[in-house]
Every structure is written in C-alpha cells, then in structure tokens.
Amino acid sequence: MIYFDNVSKRYPGGHYGLRDVTLHIAPGEMVFLTGHSGAGKSTLLRLTGLLERATRGQIRVNGRTLSRVGARQIPYHRREVGMIFQDHRLLHDRTVFDNVALPLVVSGLGHRDIGRRVRAALDKVGLLNREKAYPITLSGGEQQRVGIARAVVSRPPLVLADEPTGNLDPELSADIMHLFEAFNEVGVTLLIASHDLALISTLRHRVITLDHGQRVADSADAA
Amino acid sequence: MPPDLRGTVSVWLTRQAQVAIEALGRLTRTPASSLMTVAVIGIALSLPTSLYVLLDNLQRLSGSWDGAATLSLYLRQEIDDGAAERLARKLRLDPAIADVRVIGKQAAIEEFKRFSGFGQALDALDYNPLPAVLVIQPTQEESEPDAAETLAGRLRALPEADQVQLDLQWVKRFHAITRIARRGVLLIGGILGLAVLLTIGNTIRLEIQNRRQEIEIAKLVGATDAFIRRPFLYTGLWYGLFGGLLAWLLVGGALFLLSGPVERLAGLYESDFSLSWLGPGTTLTLLLIGTLLGLAGAWLSVSRHLNDISPV
Ligand SMILES: Nc1ncnc2c1ncn2[C@@H]1O[C@H](COP(=O)(O)OP(=O)(O)OP(=O)(O)O)[C@@H](O)[C@H]1O
Ligand SMILES: [Mg+2]
C-alpha cells in the first residue's frame, strides 16, 4: 500500500524532515509510527498524503507514484487517503453532519448517498445522535471521533492519523485505538503517528520508529 | 442521456444552485459591508452608463436636427420670380430634394422690411436689390452632412445660382464632438470597469482570507481548485449583478428627475424631444457587464491567492 524508497525531505533552510527512509507497508496493515518530537513522523504522513513533496526518492501509495502526480491530480489522491489530525481540523461553523459530509460533497456525490454514508460513518464512531451539533459543543474525544468519521466516510483504502490521541486521557485514547482496529479488521490500511508508547505496546501492531528523520527501528524487521 | 450521466449532471446543477444560494446567503450575513461594496460598484458603473445615455440622447437630438437641414439657394439678381418658380418646379423633381419653397424678390423684400427695420432705407431705392431665394429641403438620406454638401455643389453649378448656403458647419462640429465624447465614454467606462474589477478582487481577497481555514480543510479532503473557486466566483457574480442593478436604479432615478425639466425646455423650443430611458438592450448590457466584471474580478483574485494557501 505504501512504499518509500530512499526518501528524503529537505525543508527550505536546509533542515531535513526525513532522511533516506525506505519502508513498505502492505495493504491491510495497521502500523504505528513513533519517535521523539521532530523525528519526522508528521513529515512522513504529509508526504504520503501529498501535502508535501519529497525532495529525493520514490514514494508509491495505493499503486500511484507520487512524483508523477501533477498538481491537478493531487485532489484525487487525497480522496483515497483519509487523514486525521491531532487538532481535528473541523469547521466550527458547520454541523457535525456537514463536517463529515465534506469529503463526499467535494467529490460530487449526490444528496441522498451523502446522507446515507455520513450516518453510517457517524454510527461507527458512536455519534449518530449528535449530527446536528456544532463541533464546539462536543468534548475533545467526540471532536476527534468526528474527525475520524470524516476520514473514513468516503471509504478510503488508507487512513493516516497524526497524533490522534494527543490530547485525550488514556481511556479515551484506548477507545480511539480500538475504533482504528475495527476499521483495520474490515481491510483499511492504517498508519498512525503517536508517541504514546504505553498505549502502543498494549496493542501488538507493527511499530516503526523514526529518529532525526531516519528509520531506526521496525518491529516487522525484528519478527 | 444514460441515467448515471443524467444523475451526475443533476447533482452538478443542484450543487451549482446550492453554492450560488450559499454565496448569496453569505452576503446577506454581512449586510453593511456587502452593501458598501455593491454601492461602490454601482456608482462606478452608473457614471459611464449615464454618460452613455446622455450621449445617446444628444445623438437623437442631433438626428432630428439633421432632418431639418436646409439649403438656401440665392438666385442671380436678374432672375425674376417667374423664372424662380420654373426652377423650383424643376428642382422638385430631383430625387435628392424633398421640398422647395420659393421666396420671390417681392416676398424677400417684405420679409426683410419686417425683420430688419431698414424699411425706409429700402423705400429710397428705386429697384429691389434682393434676389429670389429657393429654400430647399433635402430628402432624409440627403440630410447627412456629406450628402448635403454634394447636393449643395450640384445646386451651385446651376446657371441661375448665385450662392448656395448650407448651414451644416455646426452639425458637422456636433458630429465630431459626439465622436470624441463617445470615445471618452468608452475610456471612462474602461477605467471605471477596471476600478470595479479591483474592488471586487479586493473584496474577494478579504473573503478568501476569512475563509482560509475552510479552504485548507477542503483541500485536505480532496477538493479541486474548481470546487474551491466556485463559491468565490458566485460571490463576485452577485456583487457584479447587484452593482449593475444599483447603477440601473441610479441612472433611472437621474433620468426621472431630469425628464420633467428637459421636456419643459424642449417645449420652449417647440420640440417634442423627451429623454429616452434605459432600454431593455442597454439594461441587459449593463447587467451583463456588471456580472462579467464581478466574475472576472473574483477569478483574478482567486487565481492569485488560492495557491498561497497550503496544502497546495
Ligand atoms: N515546514 C517546515 N519547514 C521547516 N522545517 C520543518 C517544517 N516542518 C517540519 N520541519 C522540521 O522537520 C523535522 C521533522 O518534523 P515533523 O513535524 O515531521 O516531526 P514530528 O515527528 O511530527 O514531531 P512532533 O512529534 O513534535 O509532531 C523537524 O525538525 C522540524 O523542525
Ligand atoms: Mg508531528
């Protein structure tokens, strides 16, 4: 699902976000990405979602070579990759329903299909009864679940999550992770950046560790 | 149409209508600033429009003068009234001439006495010094300055002719002035059109700034540039359309206020001239220009500022 082949990301100013990273994540895997702050976790996710472009190396996602994706094709790539952020990135002047519907509206889906799919996604994250609420009236955990519903509503084969439990207490964090496991069970590939090592260790999934932009450990190699 | 294509088209149309109405709703949510923008656009559009209407009216006025263009053919001194009448009958057959009025020598002198106050002085003369005059009214087509000039040349060549007076100089000048004025209106219209473009562009730029986060998030979930551009284009379209409507109201109001005095003035000159209103063609053109300027201003602004927002 995801191939990185000697990928480097050098930011303007000379700083490296990633350095010669090679990795392969198979379809249906659920993988955690850890490392110290500034290790390059977010950079790796941003490259995968084409929010940024690599300076060197090849990236292939879902059969698509990202360096060959032109500016006009970027939106179509993003529609196949659900993205979840620590700060949720919700629209506060739109209802929960409208927030979750956004990816479907953007891809031009019909009104009736949107309603059906949004409710299905909200149902999965347990927020079906809050569809008319505004995000500001929800708790942090609930807002994060709205973000998750938005990421999966268009049923992308790949979901990326950047510190999805960063601000949540341990119990809510575990809930969110179990939600991800439920998606994984139906075949969604997940790549989750997190430095909650305690939580990750209880979950028995593959863990990739970055350090100063380099891949320094991978539980798949050890196995 | 296959059903799935029809579905796609109807989804697309629904979406367009939805975005258009949303954009309109957004304008009404900030009524003060929206009205301000519409007012600026309306005033900017009303100026060239009113100049255009003014010019249009002047041209209609000059058109009625053209019709009244006459030539005075002064006959040689020795031509008597009988010969003048015969010449007049001949000239009436000329296809370029609509009508000929004869002022005989005797009639001429009586008219002169009546208007000049030199009656006694003329009585002292033992002969009539005034020539017979034929007042010639060209047909409509021959009233144009150039054609009338040609006719004057032909008349001048007549053996009976002494002098032909064609009082067209001022009509020609008037035509020249309106030509310049028309170009001036175009120029002013162009400049103010640019002002409208910039006003809308700037308004849209602020709107983009206000909705930066929304644009970012839409991009994150895979919105195309066309999708993101659309609401701003509709905003520009509404601004332009409402600006055009306001300009129409302003010019219409000004015409309404002017029409009474103008008709009274025309009455003093025994003319039935009245101001022409903004016809459906002009109205449509005005609204279309407003709308297109709105769209273009929004397009320029969005194209310029959209790429500043990451992710690209
Ligand atoms: N836009 C940018 N411009 C310059 N440098 C950047 C930019 N984004 C990230 N970096 C640098 O790249 C490195 C990796 O950053 P990244 O955000 O990927 O780290 P991270 O592992 O996600 O850290 P955190 O756990 O704090 O989120 C850091 O040293 C950071 O300073
Ligand atoms: Mg990060």
Side-chain angles (χ1 to χ4, degrees):
Chain A
M1 180 60 72
I2 303 177
Y3 288 90
F4 271 57
D5 187 7
N6 285 305
V7 173
S8 294
K9 171 67 186 179
R10 187 170 170 274
Y11 283 106
H15 203 92
Y16 277 90
L18 278 188
R19 215 184 266 271
D20 271 335
V21 170
T22 298
L23 57 82
H24 172 212
I25 293 170
E29 267 193 284
M30 175 158 167
V31 180
F32 286 106
L33 197 58
T34 64
H36 62 91
S37 179
K41 306 182 291 294
S42 299
T43 303
L44 195 151
L45 295 182
R46 283 202 298 268
L47 292 179
T48 309
L50 257 181
L51 307 189
E52 283 170 359
R53 287 189 184 271
T55 18
R56 220 146 33 78
Q58 282 273 359
I59 305 175
R60 223 143 46 80
V61 177
N62 202 12
R64 193 181 264 134
T65 303
L66 296 193
S67 59
R68 293 209 205 105
V69 176
R72 292 172 148 281
Q73 264 69 55
I74 290 178
Y76 302 98
H77 174 68
R78 290 192 190 140
R79 289 176 195 178
E80 292 173 15
V81 180
M83 283 185 272
I84 297 160
F85 306 89
Q86 180 174 0
D87 57 356
H88 323 314
R89 300 285 193 103
L90 301 178
L91 289 167
H92 291 284
D93 60 346
R94 307 276 179 95
T95 61
V96 165
F97 182 97
D98 287 345
N99 267 284
V100 175
L102 191 61
L104 304 178
V105 173
V106 149
S107 50
L109 207 66
H111 183 71
R112 209 172 305 150
D113 293 332
I114 289 179
R116 202 165 39 74
R117 290 230 211 156
V118 169
R119 293 204 178 86
L122 283 174
D123 191 26
K124 274 185 219 152
V125 300
L127 284 176
L128 195 50
N129 54 338
R130 307 305 302 271
E131 63 171 74
K132 292 202 177 68
Y134 284 88
I136 216 83
T137 66
L138 302 180
S139 72
E142 286 171 329
Q143 289 189 31
Q144 190 55 285
R145 283 189 277 155
V146 175
I148 293 169
R150 185 183 65 191
V152 300
V153 72
S154 56
R155 300 187 194 137
L158 172 64
V159 170
L160 308 175
D162 196 352
E163 317 260 3
T165 61
N167 294 330
L168 304 179
D169 64 41
E171 207 177 320
L172 278 175
S173 301
D175 280 353
I176 299 278
M177 290 305 178
H178 293 311
L179 197 52
F180 286 145
E181 286 184 319
F183 291 128
N184 184 234
E185 268 160 30
V186 296
V188 178
T189 309
L190 287 120
L191 181 55
I192 303 160
S194 171
H195 34 217
D196 192 346
L197 292 172
L199 177 60
I200 292 169
S201 63
T202 65
L203 289 169
R204 314 176 168 281
H205 292 288
R206 181 177 167 194
V207 180
I208 297 173
T209 310
L210 295 176
D211 190 331
H212 292 98
Q214 288 178 298
R215 194 184 69 146
V216 293
D218 190 332
S219 62
D221 297 346
Chain B
M1 253 195 279
D4 55 334
L5 180 59
R6 194 177 325 151
T8 310
V9 168
S10 92
V11 164
W12 187 83
L13 283 177
T14 314
R15 174 82 197 132
Q16 295 286 323
Q18 216 175 347
V19 175
I21 291 164
E22 265 174 35
L24 191 58
R26 215 178 288 278
L27 291 191
T28 60
R29 245 172 284 155
T30 52
S33 73
S34 302
L35 280 180
M36 198 84 92
T37 306
V38 168
V40 170
I41 297 165
I43 291 166
L45 287 176
S46 70
L47 194 57
T49 309
S50 46
L51 285 178
Y52 170 79
V53 170
L54 190 71
L55 204 61
D56 186 47
N57 276 297
L58 282 178
Q59 269 166 346
R60 278 196 319 117
L61 197 59
S62 85
S64 61
W65 290 332
D66 281 352
T70 51
L71 300 102
S72 303
L73 170 58
Y74 295 89
L75 300 180
R76 287 211 316 275
Q77 180 61 41
E78 63 271 21
I79 308 285
D80 63 19
D81 287 1
E85 282 293 352
R86 277 196 299 282
L87 180 60
R89 273 199 295 279
K90 209 173 76 191
L91 287 178
R92 283 193 190 101
L93 301 175
D94 191 309
I97 291 172
D99 190 30
V100 180
R101 189 160 61 90
V102 182
I103 303 174
K105 289 170 85 83
Q106 198 50 44
I109 202 150
E110 267 150 30
E111 204 168 296
F112 187 77
K113 275 184 194 161
R114 200 142 37 89
F115 288 110
S116 68
F118 285 118
Q120 266 91 36
L122 283 175
D123 284 340
L125 290 173
D126 55 356
Y127 70 101
N128 182 350
L130 295 181
V133 182
L134 303 188
V135 179
I136 293 164
Q137 172 92 56
T139 57
Q140 198 64 43
E141 306 87 80
E142 305 294 324
S143 295
E144 285 294 304
D146 287 346
E149 204 76 80
T150 315
L151 178 61
R154 275 204 290 133
L155 294 174
R156 213 169 269 131
L158 291 172
E160 297 91 338
D162 177 34
Q163 211 182 354
V164 175
Q165 209 172 51
L166 173 62
D167 204 8
L168 272 180
Q169 211 52 44
W170 65 273
V171 174
K172 277 207 220 154
R173 285 189 192 131
F174 185 81
H175 274 277
I177 288 170
T178 53
R179 258 198 298 278
I180 293 170
R182 207 176 320 162
R183 201 148 301 167
V185 168
L186 276 181
L187 205 68
I188 291 173
I191 291 168
L192 288 170
L194 199 65
V196 170
L197 211 65
L198 294 178
T199 305
I200 291 178
N202 195 49
T203 308
I204 298 290
R205 183 181 62 81
L206 292 175
E207 175 97 9
I208 291 172
Q209 265 170 22
N210 287 338
R211 298 175 63 190
R212 196 186 175 89
Q213 211 208 356
E214 190 181 335
I215 295 172
E216 265 175 42
I217 291 172
K219 282 188 173 189
L220 281 178
V221 300
T224 56
D225 281 356
F227 179 92
I228 292 167
R229 204 181 280 132
R230 205 169 294 142
F232 297 106
L233 293 184
Y234 275 108
T235 305
L237 181 146
W238 289 125
Y239 273 132
L241 182 61
F242 288 133
L245 275 174
L246 180 65
W248 187 84
L249 285 176
L250 287 174
V251 176
L255 283 173
F256 177 74
L257 290 178
L258 284 177
S259 62
V262 164
E263 264 159 46
R264 242 168 291 142
L265 180 67
L268 291 179
Y269 283 89
E270 288 173 11
S271 157
D272 57 1
F273 177 80
S274 68
L275 283 175
S276 72
W277 291 83
L278 287 164
T282 316
T283 304
L284 215 66
T285 311
L286 173 62
L287 296 182
L288 203 68
I289 287 177
T291 307
L292 286 179
L293 282 175
L295 268 177
W299 182 277
L300 288 175
S301 188
V302 175
S303 310
R304 254 180 63 91
H305 300 292
L306 212 54
N307 287 336
D308 302 347
I309 296 176
S310 62
V312 171

mmCIF file of all heavy atoms in Angstrom, chain A residues 32-36 41 163 165 177 193-204 207-210:
data_model
loop_
_atom_site.group_PDB
_atom_site.id
_atom_site.type_symbol
_atom_site.label_atom_id
_atom_site.label_comp_id
_atom_site.label_asym_id
_atom_site.label_seq_id
_atom_site.Cartn_x
_atom_site.Cartn_y
_atom_site.Cartn_z
ATOM 1 N N PHE A 32 2.065 1.619 13.629
ATOM 2 C CA PHE A 32 2.305 2.824 14.428
ATOM 3 C C PHE A 32 3.645 3.418 14.052
ATOM 4 O O PHE A 32 4.607 2.705 13.745
ATOM 5 C CB PHE A 32 2.303 2.483 15.918
ATOM 6 C CG PHE A 32 0.921 2.219 16.433
ATOM 7 C CD1 PHE A 32 0.511 0.918 16.731
ATOM 8 C CD2 PHE A 32 0.027 3.265 16.611
ATOM 9 C CE1 PHE A 32 -0.767 0.678 17.192
ATOM 10 C CE2 PHE A 32 -1.254 3.023 17.081
ATOM 11 C CZ PHE A 32 -1.656 1.733 17.362
ATOM 12 N N LEU A 33 3.689 4.727 14.098
ATOM 13 C CA LEU A 33 4.896 5.461 13.777
ATOM 14 C C LEU A 33 5.255 6.253 15.023
ATOM 15 O O LEU A 33 4.460 7.063 15.503
ATOM 16 C CB LEU A 33 4.563 6.411 12.615
ATOM 17 C CG LEU A 33 5.656 7.028 11.791
ATOM 18 C CD1 LEU A 33 6.521 5.958 11.149
ATOM 19 C CD2 LEU A 33 5.016 7.896 10.718
ATOM 20 N N THR A 34 6.445 5.972 15.585
ATOM 21 C CA THR A 34 6.816 6.706 16.800
ATOM 22 C C THR A 34 8.174 7.360 16.612
ATOM 23 O O THR A 34 8.843 7.183 15.603
ATOM 24 C CB THR A 34 6.901 5.784 18.038
ATOM 25 O OG1 THR A 34 7.941 4.851 17.824
ATOM 26 C CG2 THR A 34 5.603 5.056 18.264
ATOM 27 N N GLY A 35 8.566 8.076 17.649
ATOM 28 C CA GLY A 35 9.832 8.788 17.618
ATOM 29 C C GLY A 35 9.699 10.066 18.400
ATOM 30 O O GLY A 35 8.580 10.517 18.684
ATOM 31 N N HIS A 36 10.849 10.629 18.729
ATOM 32 C CA HIS A 36 10.838 11.860 19.527
ATOM 33 C C HIS A 36 10.178 12.989 18.738
ATOM 34 O O HIS A 36 9.957 12.865 17.529
ATOM 35 C CB HIS A 36 12.276 12.241 19.897
ATOM 36 C CG HIS A 36 13.122 12.535 18.671
ATOM 37 N ND1 HIS A 36 13.228 13.791 18.145
ATOM 38 C CD2 HIS A 36 13.852 11.710 17.874
ATOM 39 C CE1 HIS A 36 14.010 13.744 17.080
ATOM 40 N NE2 HIS A 36 14.403 12.483 16.892
ATOM 41 N N LYS A 41 7.767 12.201 11.991
ATOM 42 C CA LYS A 41 6.518 11.435 11.854
ATOM 43 C C LYS A 41 5.507 12.193 10.990
ATOM 44 O O LYS A 41 4.953 11.639 10.033
ATOM 45 C CB LYS A 41 5.908 11.175 13.241
ATOM 46 C CG LYS A 41 6.857 10.510 14.231
ATOM 47 C CD LYS A 41 6.175 10.239 15.561
ATOM 48 C CE LYS A 41 5.853 11.492 16.355
ATOM 49 N NZ LYS A 41 7.050 12.221 16.824
ATOM 50 N N GLU A 163 -0.993 11.800 15.538
ATOM 51 C CA GLU A 163 -1.265 12.012 16.967
ATOM 52 C C GLU A 163 -2.763 12.117 17.241
ATOM 53 O O GLU A 163 -3.214 13.097 17.822
ATOM 54 C CB GLU A 163 -0.588 13.303 17.449
ATOM 55 C CG GLU A 163 0.813 13.489 16.921
ATOM 56 C CD GLU A 163 1.877 13.100 17.934
ATOM 57 O OE1 GLU A 163 1.493 12.629 19.021
ATOM 58 O OE2 GLU A 163 3.050 13.250 17.622
ATOM 59 N N THR A 165 -4.533 10.811 19.398
ATOM 60 C CA THR A 165 -4.940 10.749 20.804
ATOM 61 C C THR A 165 -4.120 11.707 21.652
ATOM 62 O O THR A 165 -4.115 11.621 22.879
ATOM 63 C CB THR A 165 -4.760 9.319 21.363
ATOM 64 O OG1 THR A 165 -3.374 8.978 21.270
ATOM 65 C CG2 THR A 165 -5.565 8.323 20.567
ATOM 66 N N MET A 177 -8.169 3.976 19.663
ATOM 67 C CA MET A 177 -7.342 2.944 19.052
ATOM 68 C C MET A 177 -8.173 1.703 18.709
ATOM 69 O O MET A 177 -7.968 1.085 17.666
ATOM 70 C CB MET A 177 -6.195 2.544 19.990
ATOM 71 C CG MET A 177 -5.137 3.633 20.133
ATOM 72 S SD MET A 177 -4.451 4.179 18.556
ATOM 73 C CE MET A 177 -3.321 5.452 19.119
ATOM 74 N N ALA A 193 0.641 7.969 13.631
ATOM 75 C CA ALA A 193 1.782 8.543 14.347
ATOM 76 C C ALA A 193 1.368 8.806 15.785
ATOM 77 O O ALA A 193 0.295 9.348 16.036
ATOM 78 C CB ALA A 193 2.214 9.843 13.681
ATOM 79 N N SER A 194 2.233 8.379 16.722
ATOM 80 C CA SER A 194 1.882 8.571 18.127
ATOM 81 C C SER A 194 3.142 8.420 18.967
ATOM 82 O O SER A 194 4.022 7.639 18.649
ATOM 83 C CB SER A 194 0.854 7.509 18.547
ATOM 84 O OG SER A 194 0.665 7.553 19.938
ATOM 85 N N HIS A 195 3.241 9.193 20.048
ATOM 86 C CA HIS A 195 4.328 8.865 20.967
ATOM 87 C C HIS A 195 3.804 8.312 22.287
ATOM 88 O O HIS A 195 4.502 8.302 23.272
ATOM 89 C CB HIS A 195 5.340 9.994 21.189
ATOM 90 C CG HIS A 195 4.764 11.365 21.164
ATOM 91 N ND1 HIS A 195 5.445 12.399 20.614
ATOM 92 C CD2 HIS A 195 3.609 11.853 21.602
ATOM 93 C CE1 HIS A 195 4.706 13.493 20.721
ATOM 94 N NE2 HIS A 195 3.600 13.181 21.308
ATOM 95 N N ASP A 196 2.606 7.811 22.257
ATOM 96 C CA ASP A 196 2.042 7.172 23.437
ATOM 97 C C ASP A 196 2.505 5.711 23.467
ATOM 98 O O ASP A 196 1.754 4.793 23.136
ATOM 99 C CB ASP A 196 0.518 7.265 23.376
ATOM 100 C CG ASP A 196 -0.130 6.888 24.695
ATOM 101 O OD1 ASP A 196 0.575 6.317 25.554
ATOM 102 O OD2 ASP A 196 -1.329 7.163 24.854
ATOM 103 N N LEU A 197 3.784 5.519 23.858
ATOM 104 C CA LEU A 197 4.374 4.184 23.759
ATOM 105 C C LEU A 197 3.651 3.166 24.630
ATOM 106 O O LEU A 197 3.490 2.011 24.253
ATOM 107 C CB LEU A 197 5.854 4.244 24.148
ATOM 108 C CG LEU A 197 6.722 5.010 23.151
ATOM 109 C CD1 LEU A 197 8.131 5.192 23.685
ATOM 110 C CD2 LEU A 197 6.749 4.303 21.808
ATOM 111 N N ALA A 198 3.178 3.643 25.778
ATOM 112 C CA ALA A 198 2.479 2.722 26.690
ATOM 113 C C ALA A 198 1.256 2.126 26.010
ATOM 114 O O ALA A 198 1.049 0.911 26.018
ATOM 115 C CB ALA A 198 2.070 3.479 27.949
ATOM 116 N N LEU A 199 0.501 2.988 25.371
ATOM 117 C CA LEU A 199 -0.706 2.520 24.702
ATOM 118 C C LEU A 199 -0.352 1.606 23.527
ATOM 119 O O LEU A 199 -0.928 0.534 23.347
ATOM 120 C CB LEU A 199 -1.517 3.729 24.224
ATOM 121 C CG LEU A 199 -2.788 3.423 23.434
ATOM 122 C CD1 LEU A 199 -3.761 2.599 24.263
ATOM 123 C CD2 LEU A 199 -3.461 4.724 22.981
ATOM 124 N N ILE A 200 0.627 2.026 22.738
ATOM 125 C CA ILE A 200 1.011 1.255 21.560
ATOM 126 C C ILE A 200 1.439 -0.157 21.936
ATOM 127 O O ILE A 200 1.093 -1.137 21.275
ATOM 128 C CB ILE A 200 2.155 1.972 20.810
ATOM 129 C CG1 ILE A 200 1.648 3.283 20.192
ATOM 130 C CG2 ILE A 200 2.739 1.076 19.730
ATOM 131 C CD1 ILE A 200 2.751 4.157 19.670
ATOM 132 N N SER A 201 2.171 -0.244 23.037
ATOM 133 C CA SER A 201 2.727 -1.549 23.412
ATOM 134 C C SER A 201 1.627 -2.538 23.790
ATOM 135 O O SER A 201 1.806 -3.744 23.683
ATOM 136 C CB SER A 201 3.721 -1.375 24.565
ATOM 137 O OG SER A 201 3.030 -0.877 25.691
ATOM 138 N N THR A 202 0.470 -2.019 24.215
ATOM 139 C CA THR A 202 -0.611 -2.946 24.566
ATOM 140 C C THR A 202 -1.331 -3.469 23.331
ATOM 141 O O THR A 202 -2.154 -4.381 23.431
ATOM 142 C CB THR A 202 -1.670 -2.258 25.457
ATOM 143 O OG1 THR A 202 -2.298 -1.226 24.680
ATOM 144 C CG2 THR A 202 -1.039 -1.653 26.700
ATOM 145 N N LEU A 203 -1.045 -2.910 22.177
ATOM 146 C CA LEU A 203 -1.892 -3.192 21.013
ATOM 147 C C LEU A 203 -1.328 -4.200 20.012
ATOM 148 O O LEU A 203 -2.025 -4.650 19.124
ATOM 149 C CB LEU A 203 -2.238 -1.880 20.288
ATOM 150 C CG LEU A 203 -3.206 -0.986 21.065
ATOM 151 C CD1 LEU A 203 -3.283 0.394 20.429
ATOM 152 C CD2 LEU A 203 -4.593 -1.595 21.137
ATOM 153 N N ARG A 204 -0.063 -4.562 20.124
ATOM 154 C CA ARG A 204 0.509 -5.600 19.273
ATOM 155 C C ARG A 204 0.326 -5.360 17.781
ATOM 156 O O ARG A 204 -0.179 -6.207 17.056
ATOM 157 C CB ARG A 204 -0.109 -6.976 19.582
ATOM 158 C CG ARG A 204 -0.201 -7.266 21.027
ATOM 159 C CD ARG A 204 -0.894 -8.569 21.292
ATOM 160 N NE ARG A 204 -0.694 -8.905 22.692
ATOM 161 C CZ ARG A 204 0.431 -9.429 23.140
ATOM 162 N NH1 ARG A 204 1.421 -9.712 22.325
ATOM 163 N NH2 ARG A 204 0.576 -9.675 24.422
ATOM 164 N N VAL A 207 5.325 -1.480 14.720
ATOM 165 C CA VAL A 207 5.752 -0.151 15.147
ATOM 166 C C VAL A 207 7.014 0.235 14.389
ATOM 167 O O VAL A 207 7.998 -0.515 14.379
ATOM 168 C CB VAL A 207 6.038 -0.122 16.665
ATOM 169 C CG1 VAL A 207 6.480 1.283 17.084
ATOM 170 C CG2 VAL A 207 4.821 -0.558 17.462
ATOM 171 N N ILE A 208 6.975 1.397 13.731
ATOM 172 C CA ILE A 208 8.168 1.928 13.061
ATOM 173 C C ILE A 208 8.649 3.123 13.868
ATOM 174 O O ILE A 208 7.848 3.991 14.227
ATOM 175 C CB ILE A 208 7.841 2.361 11.621
ATOM 176 C CG1 ILE A 208 7.389 1.154 10.795
ATOM 177 C CG2 ILE A 208 9.039 3.054 10.974
ATOM 178 C CD1 ILE A 208 6.884 1.494 9.411
ATOM 179 N N THR A 209 9.941 3.135 14.183
ATOM 180 C CA THR A 209 10.480 4.235 14.970
ATOM 181 C C THR A 209 11.386 5.107 14.116
ATOM 182 O O THR A 209 12.272 4.602 13.425
ATOM 183 C CB THR A 209 11.273 3.691 16.175
ATOM 184 O OG1 THR A 209 10.465 2.725 16.853
ATOM 185 C CG2 THR A 209 11.644 4.812 17.130
ATOM 186 N N LEU A 210 11.137 6.402 14.196
ATOM 187 C CA LEU A 210 11.980 7.367 13.484
ATOM 188 C C LEU A 210 12.849 8.099 14.497
ATOM 189 O O LEU A 210 12.453 8.310 15.639
ATOM 190 C CB LEU A 210 11.112 8.380 12.735
ATOM 191 C CG LEU A 210 10.244 7.861 11.589
ATOM 192 C CD1 LEU A 210 9.388 8.994 11.043
ATOM 193 C CD2 LEU A 210 11.104 7.265 10.484
#
